[in-house]
């Protein structure tokens, strides 16, 4: 579908690929689809206007360590910006455990045991700490919401596929824009709803605080 998506105006893409090992991929996604994902990425490479091609991997202790250098090599060989994301308590099964969090700094140390990295200065508000390989071949990034929260610079809000406006991944409340739309709300009325919700945007997640309560939806229901 890449050609059609680019023709329709797609300029950047994020692909979730938590492991480059076929059996492990099938285990965590419950489908043996790694070859299709890799074929899709190769197709994306053909369209230079489709950049960056980001490959996002969620790191889980005891699962991801052995994949770190393979992903680093992918980032060096291909025009992909590989991003490691710390495991957050947004899993549908509610099985997240703090001990499962493999931190970004631990992953970086594994990469640097073979490939030295240098930070990329980036003044935009972003979630990833970006690094280039010291020899100039590609880049990797680390999104460390558990070990190094960056909520104070967060400017993200989200609209779910079912029309609910969320002001934080960890929100326990939502603003129902779908019902307002279906009731014939004007653009100005929708804007007002969005403004009011955004004024109440959460200061931070509370993963590291006592009494942390899970979000009202899991990540797959929010949509990333
Ligand atoms: S405020 Fe919420 S959405 Fe923003 S970085 Fe913090 S946890 Fe993530």
């Amino acid at each position: 579908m890449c050609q059609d998506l680019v023709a329709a105006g797609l300029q950047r893409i994020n692909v979730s690929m938590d492991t480059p090992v076929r059996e492990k991929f099938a285990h965590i996604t419950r489908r043996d689809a790694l070859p299709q994902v890799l074929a899709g990425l190769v197709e994306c490479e053909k369209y230079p206007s489709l950049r960056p091609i980001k490959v996002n991997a969620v790191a889980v202790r005891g699962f991801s360590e052995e994949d770190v250098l393979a992903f680093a090599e992918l980032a060096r060989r291909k025009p992909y910006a590989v991003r490691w994301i710390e495991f957050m308590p947004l899993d549908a099964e509610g099985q997240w455990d703090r001990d499962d969090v493999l931190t970004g700094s631990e992953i970086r140390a594994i990469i640097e045991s073979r490939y030295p990295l240098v930070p990329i200065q980036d003044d935009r508000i972003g979630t990833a700490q970006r690094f280039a390989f010291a020899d100039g071949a590609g880049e990797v990034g680390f999104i460390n919401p558990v070990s190094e929260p960056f909520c104070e610079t967060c400017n993200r809000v989200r609209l779910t596929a079912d029309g609910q406006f969320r002001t934080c991944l960890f929100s326990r409340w939502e603003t129902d824009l779908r019902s307002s739309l279906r009731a014939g709300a004007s653009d100005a009325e929708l804007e007002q709803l969005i403004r009011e919700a955004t004024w109440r945007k959460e200061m931070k997640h509370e993963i590291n605080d006592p009494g942390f309560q899970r979000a009202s939806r899991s990540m797959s229901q929010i949509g990333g």
Side-chain angles (χ1 to χ4, degrees), residues 126-143:
T127 52
Q129 298 175 24
R130 299 170 58 202
F131 289 82
F133 290 95
D135 62 5
E139 75 165 78
V140 290
F142 303 95
I143 301 176

Side-chain angles (χ1 to χ4, degrees), residues 195-209:
R195 283 184 180 278
E196 283 169 10
T198 306
W199 274 114
R200 294 194 288 138
K201 179 170 166 59
E202 290 78 352
M203 296 291 287
K204 63 182 188 102
H205 68 61
E206 295 177 355
I207 302 172
N208 299 317
D209 299 344

Side-chain angles (χ1 to χ4, degrees), residues 153-218:
T153 60
C154 174
N155 60 1
R156 304 290 169 100
V157 292
R158 291 173 170 81
L159 184 62
T160 66
D162 56 355
Q164 306 301 306
F165 184 73
R166 294 177 64 85
T167 51
C168 176
L169 280 177
F170 289 90
S171 285
R172 293 177 53 77
W173 57 277
E174 299 177 335
T175 300
D176 181 5
L177 296 186
R178 179 177 63 179
S179 296
S180 301
L181 262 175
R182 289 188 175 171
S186 66
D187 285 356
E189 287 165 335
L190 291 172
E191 179 183 330
Q192 189 58 27
L193 287 170
I194 291 169
R195 283 184 180 278
E196 283 169 10
T198 306
W199 274 114
R200 294 194 288 138
K201 179 170 166 59
E202 290 78 352
M203 296 291 287
K204 63 182 188 102
H205 68 61
E206 295 177 355
I207 302 172
N208 299 317
D209 299 344
F212 165 71
Q213 290 185 292
R214 291 178 61 97
S216 55
R217 291 181 187 236
S218 66

